Amino acid sequence: MIRFQQVSLMRGIKPLLEQVDVTLNPGDKIGLIGANGAGKSSLFALLRGELHADAGEIDYPAKWRVAYVAQETPPLERAALDYAIDGDITLRKLEAELARLEAEPETSENGIAIGEIYSALADADAYTVQSRGEQLLLGLGFSLDQMQQPVASFSGGWRMRLNLAQALMCQSDLLLLDEPTNHLDLDAIIWLEDWLKRYEGTLLIISHDRDFLDEVVNVVVHIDERKLKRYSGNYSGFERQRAAQMILAASALEKQTRQRAHLESFVNRFKAQASKARQAQSRMKALAKMQELAPLRAAAEFSFEFREPLSAPNPLLVLEDVDAGYRIEDKDTGAITEKKIVGGINFSLQIGQRIGLLGVNGAGKSTLIKTIAGEIAPLLGDAVIGKGLSIGYFAQHQVEMLRHDESPLWHLAKIAPTVREQELRNFLGGFNFPGTMVTSSIRPFSGGEKARLALALIVWQRPNLLLLDEPTNHLDLETREALTMALAQFEGTLVVVSHDRHLLRATTDQFIIVADGQVQPFDGDLDDYKDWLLKTKLGKGTNVLPAAGKENKTEFPVASPVAAPHAPVAAPVRDKRQEAEQRQRTAALRKPLENKIARLEEQIAKRQGQKAEVDAKLGEADAYAAANKAKLKVLLADQSFFTKDLAQLEAEWLELHEQLEALAA
């Protein structure tokens, strides 16, 4: 177990923890929460041994292996898959030792040592590490081709995924994850949840994603007022318990206030009277001994609201036979090539629609939003914009385009040059930019503060169409909740891409899925989407999503979506076209299963041949000679591994066939 005993920690002159006592049990899955700057990351640094407590002790078993996500990724030429497998430190050490021994001259002692290494490699599941690494990276959104690309070729967000894969590959007893969902899309988050639920060690997570915490953790530790308070249950349970505590604390404080007022009144009235002096003295002592209760304070609530949108046309915009993508100019020749991401889009956006876009990273969600926003022109087809359309578009590059040497007030005055400064100050104050902060350079601002400023600039412009691409990145729980509440009350039209399911549930009422180069309505909620992912892509390592219809062209009224791939729907009598489309959808689901079965059959045949070869060698009489004990040990280890791996491969083969039969039914 992990035990904090009277732990105190200072960072500079700021106290983060004061005489903290808390115990965490082996196997607990713990969500660590608290305001920004409360000390969550510093507590992780204590557990990693990078910081030392100023007082007290932190105790956990010395033999525990601790895994965490590295914050830096060197630009290596090493393949992404090999880099992920490097997280299994024990395995890599065994491989290095084996290479050293095999390079030395053959001796009986050397042979025995090599046999022991092979046995240890079998115990470490060395022969399945390649497939385990592939499954991890597939779950985190990498394709098989990407796994062979060098680490240096990936952007910062994808490198962080590789670091996460390393941490998950490590055979750990304690896993520390600091904001693991920040660089993941919804599909990867759902896969990670499923993986973490099956993790057998002790898990500590820092996260601002309440749905993620609800799914994974069974204990919450709250850093508040420099103390650690342990709560049983998930994040929603913590909120209920915390609210109940605040009600009790407020009641106790009110009762004490009444008692204090009564005692003070008695003392003031009778302290000058000789007959009552004794009683007055007694009550004065009672007052002095009364321990003053402090109110249990919740975090100061931050909230804002969108101003009434400008009058909007209906429809707001129409995309007709649009192919969306990018035009890329060759720097040397000036030739322009087109890269289509999503095609055959026929899409009409009506007043009041609230749409969430689903789909894996790279499927084209951001490309679709940029096309709607007019950031990129269609490669083919027409985009008809309604007169009076006012778009508020938030994406990561909005934050990057802020002038870091200027203040929040300067940014707002730039788009509202005729408005009085006091009105601008008041508006920014509503977004938690008070006092001198409103006139200070934004350079030292956190990512969340910059994102909050970018949102404020959008809100000021009173858009009638909001396009939001991952608006919660870098936002803490409090600001996410404020954004969710504001969007829920927004009176205009909304299209949003987000991995925050709480925000999606609260602010959207229909979903569109972007997959396989198409745009398709999704009839179902986020639970339906999660179930489908777990049964298909996330369960068996395939990136296939439902087919969207014929000839890579999607036509639909968004207000009347078709059924989710798995959802039972009372359908009308189907004509031949519907039956053909159903066969296409079924084929799209069957194909990845059949491909996986084919690969498994190749692996099974290979393993059977290897096992037969080992069995034959063990059957030779001289295999048991005293001089060949090292060889015998290696052969026995190989036989054990091949037997175990064959059983695993055959079980997976049977499971896939059952899925195929269920699909056929």
Side-chain angles (χ1 to χ4, degrees), residues 110-397:
N110 179 269
I112 292 171
I114 288 175
E116 289 172 347
I117 291 290
Y118 272 109
S119 180
L121 284 168
D123 292 339
D125 290 329
Y127 302 101
T128 63
V129 71
Q130 198 83 359
S131 62
R132 285 188 288 120
E134 288 177 356
Q135 290 299 314
L136 267 180
L137 291 180
L138 283 169
L140 291 174
F142 291 83
S143 67
L144 290 170
D145 289 339
Q146 285 177 312
M147 293 179 201
Q148 303 308 320
Q149 294 174 12
V151 173
S153 68
F154 292 98
S155 65
W158 285 93
R159 290 189 194 182
M160 289 306 297
R161 291 190 187 212
L162 288 174
N163 286 349
L164 176 58
Q166 272 199 347
L168 301 184
M169 279 297 298
C170 180
Q171 302 293 316
S172 60
D173 303 290
L174 173 61
L175 178 58
L176 307 175
L177 298 180
D178 190 346
E179 293 291 356
T181 64
N182 264 3
H183 300 282
L184 303 182
D185 57 14
L186 183 55
D187 301 54
I189 290 173
I190 291 171
W191 175 87
L192 180 61
E193 284 175 358
D194 187 58
W195 193 97
L196 292 175
K197 286 177 185 176
R198 292 181 279 110
Y199 176 67
E200 295 179 355
T202 303
L203 173 67
L204 258 79
I205 303 175
I206 298 170
S207 178
H208 294 306
D209 186 331
R210 59 187 298 151
D211 272 47
F212 179 71
L213 290 173
D214 270 349
E215 286 290 329
V216 174
V217 308
N218 55 21
V219 173
V220 169
V221 172
H222 184 210
I223 304 181
D224 186 43
E225 297 294 311
R226 298 176 293 282
K227 299 292 185 184
L228 296 183
K229 174 73 173 175
R230 186 184 191 277
Y231 296 81
S232 295
N234 60 14
Y235 182 79
S236 294
F238 155 75
E239 282 194 322
R240 289 191 294 270
Q241 294 173 66
R242 174 78 170 162
Q245 285 183 2
M246 291 181 69
I247 293 169
L248 289 172
S251 175
L253 181 63
E254 183 182 355
K255 181 179 178 181
Q256 188 193 67
T257 302
R258 289 197 305 268
Q259 290 175 334
R260 183 178 290 278
H262 177 72
L263 290 171
E264 287 175 343
S265 174
F266 185 93
V267 169
N268 291 335
R269 281 186 291 127
F270 299 115
K271 65 183 177 183
Q273 296 183 22
S275 61
K276 298 286 187 180
R278 199 167 188 177
Q279 292 94 323
Q281 287 291 330
S282 173
R283 282 158 176 75
M284 286 174 71
K285 288 178 182 177
L287 267 174
K289 288 180 180 178
M290 187 179 287
Q291 185 178 1
E292 189 167 352
L293 293 175
L296 186 61
R297 295 196 303 273
E301 288 190 8
F302 162 60
S303 65
F304 70 94
E305 60 184 26
F306 286 91
R307 308 202 298 173
E308 183 182 356
L310 299 169
S311 178
N314 197 24
L316 285 84
L317 63 87
V318 177
L319 302 182
E320 297 180 343
D321 296 320
V322 164
D323 286 354
Y326 301 91
R327 291 181 172 87
I328 304 167
E329 182 178 354
D330 188 294
K331 292 180 180 179
D332 297 325
T333 65
I336 294 176
T337 57
E338 294 183 346
K339 182 180 181 182
K340 184 174 76 171
I341 307 296
V342 187
I345 306 169
N346 284 278
F347 175 67
S348 176
L349 192 56
Q350 310 292 325
I351 284 180
Q353 286 187 303
R354 310 178 68 84
I355 298 169
L357 294 184
L358 304 175
V360 298
N361 263 13
K365 302 187 298 294
S366 294
T367 304
L368 177 59
I369 277 195
K370 286 177 182 177
T371 305
I372 294 172
E375 292 269 311
I376 55 176
L379 300 179
L380 186 69
D382 297 314
V384 182
I385 307 299
K387 187 177 181 181
L389 177 64
S390 174
I391 294 175
Y393 175 47
F394 178 93
Q396 283 307 103
H397 75 263

Side-chain angles (χ1 to χ4, degrees), residues 537-570:
K537 172 185 180 289
L538 303 183
K540 301 302 164 191
T542 161
N543 285 317
V544 173
L545 281 165
K550 297 173 67 176
E551 299 177 1
N552 196 32
K553 181 174 178 179
T554 304
E555 295 188 37
F556 56 88
V558 176
S560 305
V562 299
H566 68 290
V569 174

Side-chain angles (χ1 to χ4, degrees), residues 61-76:
K63 66 178 183 179
W64 271 17
R65 298 161 294 179
V66 181
Y68 56 91
V69 179
Q71 295 303 304
E72 300 293 332
T73 316
L76 304 173

